[in-house]
Amino acid sequence: MKMIAYQIKHLLLLAALFGANNSFLRPVTGELPADKNATTQTVLLYNNLKKLAGKGYMFGHQDDLAYGVNWRYENGRSDVKEVAGDYPAVYGWELGGLEAGAERNIDGVPFKKMRQFIKEGYERGGVITISWHARSPYGAEKGAWDTTHGTVASILPGAANHQLYRTWLDELAKFFLSLKGSKGEAIPVLFRPYHELTGNWFWWCRNACSAEQFKVLWRFTLYYLSEEKKVHNLLYVYNTAGDFKTKEEFMERYPGDDAVDMISFDSYQYDDPAKSDWFVKNTNVQLGLMGEIAAEKNKLTAIGETGYEQIPFATWWTETLSKAIGEHKISYVLVWRNHGYNQWMKKMHYYAPYKDHGSAADFVKFYQQENTLFEKDVAREKLYE
Ligand code: BMA
């Protein structure tokens, strides 16, 4: 007994000396994600998210802390918080432009500030997810939306733009490695590169590369970030567009169980929910299909992006979104950014309610539902311990 007590004390001492990031503290019973050298906190998040899905789904919002419909860069502000009294549980951020050495991303968010926002959300117990609208090496003007066929092929090992692609990943690696919590530990990130891959609007989409090329791109990216750049704070999120009707369609470009931690899709509402229940029904079917795959493969699931622009339906949260998810067990649902008036689009562009918005009262009801998780809920869950 005394011996065991001594050993435990010794172990605790070692833990204190080496810090929480040391690999011997990794939970022996936990499953490892795609990156077998993932940091302790990343492995813990991966395992805790699996348990959390049984309790409810987290609510996420893109660029939540950076700006809202009527404000820009005011410390502590959040449209979601001003309506619900709580921050979202998941914070979405976007790296587009970082690969080209830009100081701000494609939506004007300075990477320096983004790093700070990521730290704030993480320190409060929230979860970070990151997307990447990488510029095409060919389409300087259209950026990620250039669909020149063969772009993916051109950045694969041995091809003309491969060295350039490595420099992009070098920039990303620097950013990921710079995300540190207050104890110096790397902040885990749900990385969702090459999103909506089954669509036809980005250079990595179905119309611009073969399934094989896409898989090689994915696997090389994982290999390069983890093995060559030693980035070990990422969980990898596979993300299709919202147009799939079968499991086969959803999986056509899936890069392999050993390269993916979470499967997800993006789906927005465009029709009038007062007149049509298509969004609810379709999302339900798709979550069913995705759920079956996830159960077979033991993967996490999410709705990577959703929303109804301007939310012109006062009870969209409880009548549409909540019903669309129903009883399905997913990790999170994230609504897109609250840009406010968008000069380029010539319209209001936002997906979360803000103070006094027509759907604010319903959002509070949605917040109060047992199965929706916001930041205070996930802080209690201690997802990184
Ligand atoms: C789109 C819009 C764009 C934005 C892009 C990347 O859905 O919000 O304004 O640039 O996402 O964040």
Side-chain angles (χ1 to χ4, degrees):
M1 202 56 200
K2 226 177 168 179
M3 189 62 191
I4 293 173
Y6 171 78
Q7 280 172 346
I8 290 173
K9 207 172 145 197
H10 192 67
L11 210 66
L12 288 174
L13 190 71
L14 276 173
L17 277 175
F18 287 101
N21 216 359
N22 220 285
S23 58
F24 75 86
L25 282 179
R26 192 166 288 147
V28 268
T29 50
E31 291 163 45
L32 295 179
D35 176 5
K36 299 300 170 224
N37 293 310
T39 65
T40 307
Q41 285 75 17
T42 308
V43 176
L44 286 165
L45 176 65
Y46 179 64
N47 284 274
N48 284 330
L49 286 183
K50 289 207 171 163
K51 286 183 227 149
L52 189 67
K55 295 189 187 167
Y57 54 89
M58 299 185 283
F59 180 80
H61 186 211
Q62 185 74 3
D63 285 351
D64 186 81
L65 302 174
Y67 53 84
V69 170
N70 295 311
W71 57 275
R72 291 271 179 286
Y73 307 104
E74 292 180 35
N75 280 349
R77 263 191 102 164
S78 149
D79 279 348
V80 167
K81 184 167 182 256
E82 281 171 26
V83 173
D86 195 0
Y87 288 106
V90 175
Y91 296 95
W93 299 103
E94 160 62 37
L95 297 184
L98 185 68
E99 71 283 355
E103 275 177 22
R104 293 163 177 263
N105 79 356
I106 46 171
D107 300 318
V109 182
F111 290 109
K112 220 173 151 183
K113 280 199 187 297
M114 193 187 293
R115 205 174 277 132
Q116 191 53 36
F117 293 138
I118 287 173
K119 187 175 177 192
E120 279 172 34
Y122 164 77
E123 290 292 336
R124 284 195 296 256
V127 173
I128 311 302
T129 180
I130 290 187
S131 54
W132 182 28
H133 287 72
R135 288 179 200 180
S136 159
Y138 295 128
E141 252 174 57
K142 293 189 193 160
W145 289 267
D146 184 280
T147 52
T148 304
H149 190 89
T151 307
V152 167
S154 85
I155 61 174
L156 297 182
N161 292 321
H162 183 62
Q163 286 310 322
L164 174 70
Y165 186 54
R166 283 179 180 248
T167 67
W168 293 2
L169 294 181
D170 291 345
E171 291 301 321
L172 260 64
K174 262 190 256 165
F175 185 82
F176 289 135
L177 291 171
S178 76
L179 302 175
K180 294 275 171 67
S182 59
K183 296 183 202 84
E185 78 283 19
I187 298 176
V189 170
L190 301 174
F191 184 38
R192 186 173 65 97
Y194 304 123
H195 66 296
E196 301 173 0
L197 64 108
T198 56
N200 60 5
W201 43 88
F202 297 127
W203 55 263
W204 55 86
C205 279
R206 184 153 47 185
N207 56 319
C209 63
S210 72
E212 234 12 75
Q213 287 163 350
F214 182 83
K215 291 179 194 177
V216 175
L217 171 67
W218 186 283
R219 297 186 70 91
F220 174 79
T221 305
L222 167 63
Y223 156 77
Y224 189 78
L225 288 174
S226 60
E227 299 295 315
E228 296 212 15
K229 304 311 289 186
K230 311 283 178 229
V231 175
H232 295 307
N233 51 334
L234 304 181
L235 294 175
Y236 288 81
V237 185
Y238 173 80
N239 178 260
T240 74
D243 54 356
F244 67 96
K245 293 193 173 55
T246 63
K247 288 196 221 175
E248 290 69 31
E249 275 178 62
F250 182 79
M251 295 299 278
E252 199 214 355
R253 291 169 178 241
Y254 180 73
D257 290 342
D258 59 342
V260 171
D261 298 307
M262 178 183 270
I263 58 177
S264 66
F265 62 86
D266 290 359
S267 182
Y268 285 83
Q269 175 145 31
Y270 296 101
D271 60 359
D272 181 353
K275 295 190 191 121
S276 154
D277 62 355
W278 183 84
F279 180 81
V280 171
K281 281 199 173 138
N282 190 55
T283 306
N284 246 292
V285 170
Q286 291 181 323
L287 286 174
L289 297 175
M290 187 169 74
E292 284 174 27
I293 300 166
E296 271 165 38
K297 296 183 170 296
N298 192 17
K299 299 293 174 198
L300 295 163
T301 58
I303 299 181
E305 289 177 34
T306 190
Y308 186 26
E309 195 179 54
Q310 300 178 20
I311 327 136
F313 184 54
T315 52
W316 191 76
W317 304 101
T318 60
E319 293 293 325
T320 306
L321 183 60
S322 179
K323 287 187 179 161
I325 299 171
E327 297 299 310
H328 294 287
K329 305 284 181 235
I330 60 175
S331 286
Y332 73 86
V333 60
L334 178 140
V335 299
W336 207 238
R337 59 201 201 92
N338 273 17
H339 182 94
Y341 186 75
N342 190 313
Q343 208 71 41
W344 184 75
M345 296 177 171
K346 302 225 178 325
K347 61 175 175 180
M348 291 295 280
H349 182 55
Y350 64 87
Y351 295 89
Y354 53 96
K355 201 168 176 288
D356 301 327
H357 180 267
S359 77
D362 190 59
F363 190 76
V364 173
K365 284 190 195 157
F366 175 75
Y367 171 75
Q368 287 163 345
Q369 279 178 202
E370 272 289 304
N371 62 342
T372 57
L373 307 172
F374 283 68
E375 193 166 78
K376 283 178 197 158
D377 300 310
V378 294
R380 272 194 293 274
E381 297 291 331
K382 301 195 189 314
L383 297 175
Y384 305 98
E385 287 175 25

